[in-house]
Each structure stands twice: as structure tokens, then as C-alpha cells.
Amino acid sequence: MGMWATARRMASTTRSASSAALTFELVGKCSTTRARASILTLPHGQVNLPIFMPVATQASLKGLTPEQLEATGCRLCLNNTYHLGLKPGQEVLDAVGGAHKFQGWSHNLLTDSGGFQMVSLLKLANVTEEGVRFLSPHDGSPMLLTPEHSMSLQNSIGSDIMMQLDDVLVTTHPDKARMREAMERSVRWLDRCIAAHKYPERQNLFCIIQGGLDLEMRRECCREMVARDTPGIAIGGLSGGEAKDDFCKVVATCTEQLPELKPRYVMGIGYPEDLVVSVALGADMFDCVWPTRTARFGNAITKNGVLNMKREMYAADFGPIEEGCGCQCCRPADQQGSLGITRAFIHHNAAKETVAAHLLTLHNVWYQLNLMRQAREAIIADRFPAFVNEFFGGLYPDGQSYPSWAVNALRGVGIDLLEG
Amino acid sequence: MTVDIEAQEPESTAMRFEILSSALKEGTSATARIGRLAFPGRRPIDTPNFIAVTSRGTLPHVTPDNISKHLQVSGAYFSLEDFVEKSQQNLSRPPPIFSAPTSTTHPTPLHSFTGTPSHITTLLAARRLPAVPSPIGNSTKSISIFTNTGFQNLSTTEYLSAISTLQPDISIPLADLTNNTTATPTSKRALRMAERTDEWIVDWFSSPLSPSTTTFAPVLPIPYPIQWEYLSRLAEDYLPSHQLSGLAIHDPDILPDLSTHQSSLLSLPLLSLSNPSNPHQILRHISLGIDLSLPNFKTAVSPLSEGCSCYACASHHRAYVHHLLQAREMLGWTLLQVHNHAVLSQFFSGIQTTIKNGTFERERINFSRVYDPEMPAGVGERPRARGYQYMSQGGEENAGKKRNKPAWRELGPTAEGETPVEEVPETTQTPVQVPEGDGAKELQEKGLGEVVKE
Ligand SMILES: [Zn+2]
Ligand SMILES: [Zn+2]
């Protein structure tokens, strides 16, 4: 066993691949699971993978200044194209010179295509081969968002990673023919996005794998998308509606087929368990609004689960939000930059003053970034399985009630949670 | 030998206030003056200056790291009523703030509980500013306060005990006030206000206080002749005994009378509790001798300006701040707060300079000629007195509920060749935002698709 591990580790000497605006360097692989550690170099600097990317929907992260976001260690965050298109709009973005300058963020940005936000408006949009058709709010005139519009807007935003417009369906969609149509259309739209993309030398366009829960369709989509050789690859359509077992199967099926030297981004997930399992399945990048959104409801993400600071039990608790956390709120008072924030103060102001939400946001973002940092260190030291066990042990201290989807998914890549 | 004497001086445990110069030669007349107020362990405050008003222990929208990094604020006003609400789940639990532990970075329970940086001078009073008038009224030994869970009584002894536990740098003893800003109290009521406040101050000064807490005695918003006994007690008993460290003046218009009848009190730092709502009022109060002001925040809203060197203006596009306010992003409030505090700091440092140069009165008159005392209704007004502008009710389950009425409507029957799009459940994805007032043309101009010609 030890010898095999060593041999495998030797085989995985550093390798890298570059495209015009991106370099992906693999620096470590877990000898048990499919977890990988890598360095992604983007136009606005280097980021370490695996990574969690906070979502600054409207060019700001829920009350944090860009300076505060930077202080959490974040070097890559999201903006939503749909929202920036509405406010401030393409003209302002062009005039200011893009979203980085607009929001005073000198690090990397990733934008979605804007399509998902349209489609989320329930039955308010229809998809045609041309693009997403929708009615304009208020005056009701019919409108169309095409792959070309999406690229043009994302080019104006200037994001370091831009996403193709895709035909998104819920994974649980019952109509297999419609699912196939969406998958194939997404491939055709990728071609249109590639053709419309004005700045491939300074912005990276990622494709999005579709195909619902149909693993064969996912494989087929992988083949088609990979053949188009985008600098990075996203796995799309997994936004929480499906069973977790199905989610894991889709991620595992895709990562198995994706080229090793390209970043793999699973869109829209953010629960800590989902992140850790997805890393074990070979994914590198994640985004989600949940950590910042839940902060506004008084929830702190910790290694022992989510704690609601509004509960009476925290009213006179003068400990940090999370013992041992290194964020500005929690780090010990004698350390540089410590704010000495207590659970009692968060309790006092949760849902009453925005400052409590801002402080919890600082903590939650730090938690997510740090979780991925720890996973990365564990992969490089080839002790990732031990890290996974510790992580689940923290959430389920009885060592029993692990969620079966996590047990199954991890067993598939060589970790048995129940054996510890 | 001088060195030795200085080293022995117990200056580290005492407040120091020096009047450096005043617009008139004699320092005891009611007139604008500059000075320096210093508490041990806190950043000295050059006066005239302002003290920031907190809500529930925090400067609204500004986290403590940003206070330290981006604001020049050196004092903060706290109200006890923000901390002593009865817990509905646990009626017997004492307010947690009283057991807050201290450390070198948070040297008092008040600093510690609120995460206030140690360089900030703290001022604790019973009521918020402005205070909500109580329908119950005060009694001989207590006042009525308004907490997050409703009105409750605060007795003079409870208040004293809170002050000695929390150790604010400045404490303001209870005053018998109506907190009615529209009607002046009848002379009978005013007399009772003076009598009760006088009784309470005697109790106050006969009780042991923490040596690090100073007392700024309230001066009531009633005519001098009605409270002269109370004020002469302050001047004759508590000024010589050094128990009185300052005055907390509800209506600065009393200052000329004080100057005439009790001029010795004017050697103290003078804090105005009048919560001025425009710069003209601030200037007038300063012309009467006020050293510290508690401006109402609507005052300071001024457009982000080219010349401003605050963090908001220096690091961000005006277009960005505009966008944040338009998009109702919380960061917009934060940046406005940073800017507004910077504007106030600049305003007060300008005042200090003109007093020093002897041009204060002239400049003040110029200012009132040039600027309209009615400030424009600004966008920077705080969202709510006690609160949180978003989703104050409900929990996470309400998160998806839209604040605005939906502006999107159904596309109608599916046309030939079109595929209906299924509902995507809103789970972990960014909540959909419904735009307001944007016509299709505008969307098209913004790059969000194109208008389809039928
Ligand atoms: Zn923390
Ligand atoms: Zn400014």
C-alpha cells in the first residue's frame, strides 16, 4: 500500500497546461481519491485550487468593502451578468473600463452568462434556438438574450472567467427529449459564444456540461464540450433540486472524463459537505450565495455545523463565533487585526443592525475559503482522506449519522467514513 | 526634578480638559472656543468636535475594522436602553452586557461587548438620541425607557449600578425629561423636572463610581430661572469637589445665562445633547461655547465630492456608490457613512482652525448667508431607527419572497418552435432580482438582450 502510494505520487510530478489567458498547474493529487491541488493563473493573478468563490451579485459582497473581501484571502469572486446588465448597464461598464475598475477589485472575477437568472423567472422566459426569449418588465415587449449578447456583456464586464450561455433545465426535468435538446443546444450555443467572444487573449470562456441526471448524456456532452477546448470546464444544472446521490454521480461521471489539466467548476454549490465531497470526486471550483445569504439570517458556518446566533443560548456567550477560527472577528484578541467579536454581540444585533450580518459574512466567507485551503494542504501532503474523516467527524460527532449520500460517494473514491 | 514630578502625576487615571483659546479673550464667557479633551487610554479629542451616535452599540453599517481604518471618529454615544431589553425566552437572564469580559484591546465591558476599538472615548446615557417619548412617564425614582422589547422602568439605582459595571469614559446621570420635542413643559412640570433631577444628582454623587468614569451632569431644556438651584448646586458643591467633569446640555440656548450666573461651570467641557439637524445649528451651538456635538446623521449627507479624501471617495468611483444605492446594496450605506463621517470631521476641523485664527464669527455669518439651512433630503438617511433594512421579519424561509411586486409576467402560450422553460427552484442560487422601471429599450441599451420586432 505504502509503496503504491509513493509510486503514484512520483508519477504525479508537477504538470501544467496553458491557454491564452490561463495557466493550470497541477501541484498535487490525492493517492486515494480524485482530489487535486492546483494553481490557476488568471489575468488578475494567481489562485489556489480547490477554491470557493463568494458571490458579489451586484458588484458588492453583502456589505463588505472590496478591501475587507481581500482581507479574507479571496482572490476570485463572482458577479452576476444579469444584475450588472440591469445596473449599472453595459454603457457605464464600458465607460468605466469594466467591472474590476467599477467595483475597485484588483483580483479576479468570474461571471455567469445571465441566462440562468432569466430562466429562473419561472415561466417568464422561453428558449428558442436563437436564445432566451422573455418579456421586458413593465412595458411587456418581447425580448431576446442570445449567446452573442451574453458574450458582449461579459466582454464589457471584463471578467477573467466568463461562462457560456447554456440552455439550463432542472436536472429533475421529466422529459428526456427536452433534456437532450437542451444539452445539444448548449453545445451549439458554445460554438456561437466562442465565435462572438472578442477578447480570448484576456478573458477565459468556460463551457458548461449539461445533460441532467442522465449519465450517458453527461458523457456525451463532456465529449462534445471537451472537443471545443475551452480553457476551463463547468458542470452545470446542479442547483439543489436533485437527490444528493444523483448529484454525486453526475459530478463523478463528468470528472472521470474531463482532461486532467483543466480547471473543473461545479456551479452553484456551497454547503461545506458538498464542497468536500466534490473535491474528493475531482472538482476544483465552487460558488454559492448561501454562505453570505445565511449570514444575514444570523447563521454562522462552523466546523461543528451551522449555528444560529439568534438563539437565546448565545446571548451571554462571550466566546468567538467559532473557537480556533482565524477570521478577523474570531482570531484571538492578542493577534494582529483581531476585532474581538463575541457571539453575544452577534446575538445582540442579528437581524437588527447590518453590522452583525457584515461580521458574520466576514466569518462565513473566511470559513469557506479556509475549508478549501485546508483541503488543498491535505491533498498536497497526501493526507486528504484523513482530512475528510476529520471534517465529517466535526459535523457528526457521534460518528454514526453521516448522510448516506456522502458515505456512498466517498466510498466510490476509496474513503470509508464509517471505518473512520 | 521636573521630570520626576511629571512621572508621579497620576495623569493616567484622570480626564484632562484644556481650553486652548477662545474667540473672546476671557475663557469663561459664552463663546466659541477650542480645546482638547483627553481620557486615559483613548485618543485625545480636539474640540469643538462631534461624537458619533451608535445604535444597539454599533455605528450603523460600519464594522469596527472600518471604524479604525477609515473614520476619524474619536467618541461614541451609547444608550443603556439599547442593551437592557428583557429576553422573551429567558425573563430572568440579566442583560449580558453586564458580564462582558475585558481585555487589553477592549478595556471596559462597554468596549468589549460592542467590539468598540479602545481608542474610542465612550459616552453612556440612559436613552437613545433622539429618545422615543414614553406614554408612561417617569416616577420619583425611575424613568421610563424604550427597549427592543418595549417600555420598561429604569430606576436611579439600576442606572448607577449599570454605569459602575460598564465603566464608560463619560456618563450622563438620569434627568427627568419629557422627551417631547414639540411641546414645552408647563412651568409646573418644568419645576418638577428640576427638582427630581436635582434629587437624583445628589444620590448620584453620594454613590461610589468607578474612578475611570467621569460625570457630565445634564442641563435641562427648561429656562434657567426654573433650574437655577440645581445648577448652583453643581457649581458650588460638585465642581469644587472634582466630582463633576462636564455638562451635558439639552438646549445650548441656556449658555448665555450660565455665563452670566454660573460662569465657573464654563471651564468644563460642554456637550450638546440637542442633536442638531443642520450645520447652522451646530455652528450656533459652537458660537455659544459647545465643545462636543452629537449631530443627527441626516445633517451630514452631502454629495460624494472630488476633493474628499475619505475611503469611499478615494477608493471608489462615484458611479459605483451611486450603483450600490440604486441597487440597494448594503455596501452603499457603509460607504455613505464613511463619507459622511469624513465630511463632519472636515467640518469640525475647519471650525477649529477658524477659532484659532480668530475668524470664526465672521465665517459663521458668511456660512449662514451662503448656505440654505434646509439640507436637501438625502439618500443617506438611515433605513430605520432600530433596524435592519432588509427582511426584518421571518426567517430563511421568507428569503425568497420578493420585496417588490413582480414586474415580470408570463410570456403566454408557447409559440411554435419554442420550448417552455421549466421552473428552476430557488435553492442555493442567487435570488432573482426583479428590475424596476426598466423598459425594454433600456434593457437593450444595457446589453441585456434586444427587443424583438413582431
Ligand atoms: Zn471566524
Ligand atoms: Zn468622501
Side-chain angles (χ1 to χ4, degrees), chain B residues 280-292:
Chain B
H280 302 269
Q281 286 180 26
I282 297 175
L283 288 173
R284 210 172 59 78
H285 296 163
I286 287 169
S287 76
L288 295 172
I290 287 296
D291 303 302
L292 291 170

Side-chain angles (χ1 to χ4, degrees), chain A residues 329-358:
Chain A
C329 301
C330 301
R331 73 182 66 146
D334 55 356
Q335 279 183 28
Q336 179 75 27
S338 162
L339 299 181
I341 300 301
T342 60
R343 289 174 168 182
F345 183 62
I346 301 286
H347 174 89
H348 180 67
N349 276 326
K352 296 194 175 77
E353 284 291 336
T354 60
V355 160
H358 299 168

Side-chain angles (χ1 to χ4, degrees), chain A residues 1 5 8-9 28-36 276-277 279-281 374-394 402 406 410-420:
Chain A
M1 169 64 203
R8 256 189 280 179
R9 216 181 318 168
K29 283 175 73 178
C30 172
S31 61
T32 306
T33 69
R34 296 190 201 158
R36 317 116 53 79
V276 169
V277 170
V279 168
L281 298 178
Q374 289 174 330
R376 186 172 195 275
E377 284 163 15
I379 295 164
I380 291 171
D382 204 13
R383 49 171 184 79
F384 182 71
F387 165 80
V388 173
N389 270 300
E390 278 162 32
F391 169 78
F392 276 95
Y402 300 120
L410 290 169
R411 196 175 279 148
V413 288
I415 295 180
D416 197 329
L417 277 185
L418 299 173
E419 271 178 19

